[in-house]
Structure formats: C-alpha cells, structure tokens
Amino acid sequence: MTGPSRAEYCVIACAEAWRGDGEVLASPMGLIPSIGARLARLTFAPELLLTDGEALLVRPDGTPEGWLPYREHLAWVTGGRRHVMMGASQIDRFGNQNISCIGDWEHPKRQLLGVRGAPANTLNNATSYWIPRHSRRVFVERVDMVCGVGYDRADGARYHRIPRVVSDLGVFDFATPDRSMRLASLHAGVTVEQVRDATGFELTVPDEVPATREPTDEELRLIREVVDPAGVRAREVTA
Amino acid sequence: MRDKTMPADEAVSRLSSGMTLGIGGWGSRRKPMALVRALLRSGITDLTVVSYGGPDVGMLAAAGRIRKLVTAFVTLDSIPLEPHYRAARERGAFELTEIDEAMFLWGLRAAANRLPFLPVRAGFGSDVMRVNPGLRTVTSPYEDGETFVAVPALRMDAALVHVNRADRSGNGQYLGPDPYFDDLFCAAADTAYVSCERIVETAELTKQGPPQTLLIRRHTVTGVVEAPNGAHFTSCAPDYGRDEAFQKTYATTPWPEFEAGFLTGDEQTYQSAVREAT
C-alpha cells in the first residue's frame, strides 16, 4: 500500500472532528468532510448519524434508517445533537466565518451563497470548518460578513463551540487564553512557515507542533476501497 | 366541491405589481418554474420575493422584477453560485433581507400560525443583526432569562408552489423524499397557487402515495394549475431529476440571449425549445 496522500491526511483530520461525539448527527459539507464523517462512522464513531445529503438518514452502505427532510434538519439544529463541518470563504482569528459576500454587504464586490444556516448552527451545535485551500484570501484578519459566529462575538452563548478548523495544511483549534486560533497539528510534509505565510493573521504556534496522526492501514483501506474508491478526494486536495 | 383549476396565465393574472410573493421549493429543487415563467411573460414587477432561492430568484432578478428579496441563500445546488442572481446583486438591482435558514422557517411558521413573531436562537453575534436593523429581541419570562431574536412573521400576499399531484379542489401531494416548505408557504400567504405534474381524482391521491404525502390542504389553496414538467429545469422527484445539462446552459448563457431563446413564447413553446436544445 502506498503512503497516505495529503487528501488522505485531510480525511483523517476531518474524521477526528467527530471523535467522542456519541449519538449525534454528523453534517459534513464538502467532499473531504463527507468522506471523513463516513470513515469515522465506520471506525471509531459507530454511533454517528449520517444523511444521504438529501432527506434520508442512512447507514454507511446507504441503507435508510430514518427521515430527515430540511424542515426537520433545521429544527434538529436547535436540539443541539449535531456537529456540522461547514466551508468558509473567509475565516478570521476568532473563528468568525463568511460565506455570504466579499466586500461591503451593501454593495458586494462578489456575491456568494448567503448566510445559509451558519448563524443558527454556531449558536446551537458544534461547528467545525473545512478549508481545502489554505491562503491569505481565506484566513483573513476580519471577515467581510459574519455568518458563522466566532469566539470574540459569541458573548458566552451557552451552546457555542468551534471544535476545529481543518485545512489542506493542518488542523487548528481555539485552545488559547483569548480563544484565538492556534495551530494544533501539521499534515505530513507541511512546515510552520508555510502555514504562517498562508495565514493573514497572527496565529498561535506552540513550541512543539504535533503532526496530524497517521491513518491506520485499515483506515487507508476503507478510504481507498470502500468510502471513496473513485478517488474524488484528490479533486478537492491536489497536493 | 369548487373546481379551482386554471391555466398558469390566469393564476398570474390574479397577482399584481408590488406584491409580496412566496416561492416554494428549495434551491434548484421542485421550484414552480412554469408559474415563474408565466410571471416573466406578464408585466408584473416591483415584487418582494420570499424564497429559499434558486433559479426562480435568478430569473426574476435578471428580468428586473424584484424590488426586495427575503432569503437565506440563492443556489443552483450542483452549481453552487447562481450567476444571474449574483450579477443582479452585484449591480445593486434590488434590496436584500438576508436571514438564517432557520429564522426563515420560523418566520413562515409564525405567519402560518398568525403569530407576530417566534423566538429563535440565531442571529446574535452574526452580521444578520447588523444588516437587519429592524430585527427585535425577546427575553424569556422564565428563570433562564435567555434573550432570543424575535423573527417576524413572513406573511405573504401570494404563494407559488409546485407538487407532484393535486386534485381539482387544491389538495396537493408531494411524492419525493422532501416536502420542503410548500405547505407552510401556502398557509403563510393570503392566496396560494399550486401547480402540479398531474391533476388526479381525489380518490386517486391515496393510490399515488400514503396519506402523509397529502401535505397541502385545499383550504390554503386558491388555484390549481396542471403543468407537466412544470418544475423544469429544477428537480421534481420521483417524476424527474434536475436537468443538469439545461441548467448549465441557463447558467452560462447571457441573460438576454437565454430570455430570447426560451422565454418569449408560452409554456408549450418553452418545453419544445428545451427539447430541441437538448
């Protein structure tokens, strides 16, 4: 078996977001988080609930086990037993996230999706982020429009939690005294300098930066043969 | 039982400029596109549109019919960003009320239940509060004392939705996996026009699907329009999936050219132009 690719380290880093969550709904947005959630479900997080991306709760092999149309999904958020991994067009030092527009909201330079469910997600259940191309355009000092709420604006909201941010370069969390972003681990082959160069704000970097853990042989087999045999993961992370 | 069936153009003729109009479906899924096309053929404009936005919003925005849009997102799903909506928004073509998906849902529920608002744990800390200075808050009168956003009712003059089956009196049936929010749109509007793939006898409805698929009740429905392929090019499971090739054509063709090619004639002309193009 060949060694893990960068995309495979990203899958592992995303999967780890759901470790220890128990019987909650994993809502991955994007390709690599979806592969990660299914991998977690097949290995160390068997209690997770998954959807087919539409209106069904499904087991990893696609067998339906429940019904979850959008109206129920939106209501489920308020119950809190959910951990979503969203994308971000911009994310800042305290985890504020933007998917709405670039530039001034009144006269946007680039209209994007809109706030979608980010404001409710971040106040109600665990919200992690996945960023396939780590750059200064995404990791910015201040986001143009706050959709997902960061630690400096959450004002102690009782259910607000951002467990992790995963990019193609590493894993980040907010385990610092002021809840600003910290480098938690580097993917194999990535340096601290690379991360600093690609980040548009001051990042906390511990003296010893751990490496993102290696996938086990069984995990690699599951990714390559069961969850993503077509290799679509390489389309999202090319390195 | 009153026969509420009517052609799409008659349904649209009952609408007028300046109305607040709700549009059912979600993104590029089961949108009442035949009714939207009828709206585009009419001179109706200056609309406040309330929608989980897809190409319905894109087309009405491109054609300059929207004065104000209330939404949480606009997307074509398989094409994440709606190009005609983007262009219109970037040139400042309409006013935008941007709220969270769940706030939108509770706004519909408030309207359907004749409540002025419903409390929602969403919005605080986000710029939804900044860009909607009219949003008010409400504090729990119980021991927890938590403060919520009081999402105002999304009351509408008219709603347009598309379902798989309906009878002549306005009982509407979805046969796919997701009802979206169409029943709420109908209940939250003063009038509602339901287009469907096929009108069937009432007794036929429970042969098409179990009783829980009968989500739209006739007391909320003003008009029923038979419009086969009426959600095209959005999906209408299980009758048909999204026409991805045609959606791509829509997304990559300059609006005036798309309009001239597909939207100058009636619905039949549209459907045959689509068949020729694909």
Side-chain angles (χ1 to χ4, degrees):
Chain A
M1 201 178 307
T2 55
S5 66
R6 178 69 59 79
E8 286 160 350
Y9 280 107
C10 292
V11 166
I12 292 296
C14 288
E16 284 289 332
W18 286 286
R19 185 184 286 275
D21 277 356
E23 207 156 21
V24 308
L25 178 66
S27 286
M29 314 280 166
L31 222 54
I32 287 197
S34 300
I35 298 167
R38 283 181 65 197
L39 181 72
R41 165 73 177 78
L42 286 167
T43 54
F44 55 79
E47 289 182 332
L48 286 178
L49 294 114
L50 298 172
T51 78
D52 64 348
E54 304 271 339
L56 297 177
L57 289 165
V58 291
R59 300 200 326 204
D61 65 357
T63 308
E65 61 168 331
W67 187 50
L68 193 65
Y70 285 124
R71 61 178 64 198
E72 301 298 327
H73 202 143
L74 296 183
W76 189 318
V77 170
T78 61
R81 296 191 61 80
R82 175 174 182 260
H83 183 168
V84 60
M85 184 173 273
M86 298 189 80
S89 303
Q90 294 179 322
I91 191 163
D92 70 20
R93 194 162 165 253
F94 290 99
N96 295 292
Q97 168 250 30
N98 176 20
I99 48 172
S100 171
C101 66
I102 299 298
D104 175 22
W105 182 87
E106 302 285 344
H107 309 280
K109 246 186 302 196
R110 300 289 278 163
Q111 175 62 40
L112 305 174
L113 278 173
V115 296
R116 293 221 67 149
N121 284 343
T122 43
L123 290 201
N124 288 279
N125 56 215
T127 305
S128 291
Y129 294 104
W130 159 244
I131 291 145
R133 227 157 293 156
H134 195 130
S135 77
R136 285 174 176 261
R137 284 180 56 185
V138 181
F139 287 76
V140 295
E141 189 63 49
R142 287 171 70 114
V143 302
D144 294 338
M145 166 90 180
V146 177
C147 304
V149 179
Y151 280 102
D152 60 333
R153 296 175 59 113
D155 196 25
R158 59 173 72 169
Y159 305 120
H160 177 267
R161 195 160 70 87
I162 309 175
R164 62 169 52 193
V165 176
V166 180
S167 81
D168 58 334
L169 299 184
V171 178
F172 307 83
D173 63 20
F174 300 89
T176 51
D178 66 350
R179 313 307 313 261
S180 62
M181 203 186 284
R182 178 188 82 140
L183 176 58
S185 76
L186 284 169
H187 301 334
V190 180
T191 65
V192 169
E193 286 62 44
Q194 243 178 300
V195 173
R196 279 216 171 100
D197 285 350
T199 305
F201 54 81
E202 191 60 35
L203 189 67
T204 297
V205 178
D207 295 338
E208 295 284 322
V209 184
T212 302
R213 81 162 171 86
E214 297 290 321
T216 65
D217 286 348
E218 174 61 2
E219 285 171 336
L220 275 184
R221 188 191 69 78
L222 285 168
I223 295 170
R224 293 174 183 180
E225 292 172 21
V226 178
V227 183
D228 182 29
V232 290
R233 62 194 176 281
R235 265 186 251 152
E236 205 165 51
V237 171
T238 44
Chain B
M1 197 62 64
R2 193 150 55 90
D3 186 335
K4 296 177 185 169
T5 57
M6 59 180 71
D9 289 320
E10 191 191 324
V12 163
S13 75
R14 296 175 178 219
L15 309 175
S16 52
S17 294
M19 273 189 166
T20 297
L21 197 61
I23 303 180
W26 168 283
S28 189
R29 301 163 198 230
R30 220 178 65 231
K31 284 285 175 179
M33 297 305 284
L35 293 174
V36 170
R37 288 187 281 268
L39 202 53
L40 288 168
R41 285 195 295 275
S42 78
I44 293 168
T45 189
D46 198 33
L47 294 167
T48 293
V49 171
V50 179
S51 173
Y52 285 111
D56 53 328
V57 168
M59 286 189 182
L60 291 169
R65 307 301 179 87
I66 303 181
R67 182 177 62 78
K68 181 172 155 186
L69 174 68
V70 181
T71 196
F73 60 80
V74 181
T75 181
L76 295 173
D77 293 307
S78 53
I79 301 171
L81 304 178
E82 217 294 348
H84 300 300
Y85 162 72
R86 291 187 81 177
R89 167 92 167 109
E90 286 167 16
R91 64 172 183 267
F94 52 84
E95 197 186 319
L96 179 63
T97 294
E98 185 170 353
I99 55 174
D100 174 272
E101 288 171 10
M103 292 169 82
F104 191 112
L105 163 62
W106 294 109
L108 288 180
R109 286 207 191 281
N113 292 287
R114 299 192 298 178
L115 292 168
F117 70 88
L118 277 168
V120 177
R121 187 181 286 116
F124 290 122
S126 82
D127 278 332
V128 162
M129 303 309 283
R130 173 172 65 87
V131 303
N132 292 286
L135 277 179
R136 297 288 176 260
T137 62
V138 61
T139 301
S140 164
Y142 300 105
E143 300 86 81
D144 60 282
E146 189 174 346
T147 299
F148 300 89
V149 169
V151 179
L154 286 172
R155 193 74 210 169
M156 296 163 284
D157 295 307
L160 307 178
V161 306
H162 183 80
V163 294
N164 303 90
R165 306 286 179 269
D167 68 9
R168 293 176 166 270
S169 52
N171 294 302
Q173 180 176 42
Y174 74 101
L175 295 173
D178 200 318
Y180 308 120
F181 304 85
D182 293 352
D183 53 323
L184 289 172
F185 273 100
C186 293
D190 294 342
T191 59
Y193 298 90
V194 177
S195 62
C196 62
E197 289 299 311
R198 194 145 56 82
I199 291 174
V200 298
E201 293 303 320
T202 305
E204 180 69 18
L205 288 169
T206 42
K207 291 177 192 152
Q208 299 279 324
Q212 59 268 36
T213 61
L214 293 166
L215 206 55
I216 294 176
R217 292 94 185 185
R218 60 185 163 81
H219 73 289
T220 63
V221 174
T222 315
V224 179
V225 176
E226 188 167 55
N229 216 27
H232 182 270
F233 51 95
T234 68
S235 62
C236 188
D239 291 316
Y240 46 90
R242 186 179 302 128
D243 186 341
E244 296 287 0
F246 190 82
Q247 172 160 289
K248 200 166 173 196
T249 302
Y250 161 77
T252 53
T253 307
W255 175 252
E257 202 181 303
F258 183 84
E259 203 177 24
F262 296 100
L263 300 172
T264 50
D266 60 10
E267 180 68 12
Q268 257 190 325
T269 314
Y270 170 82
Q271 297 288 354
S272 28
V274 167
R275 276 192 298 274
E276 273 170 43
T278 52

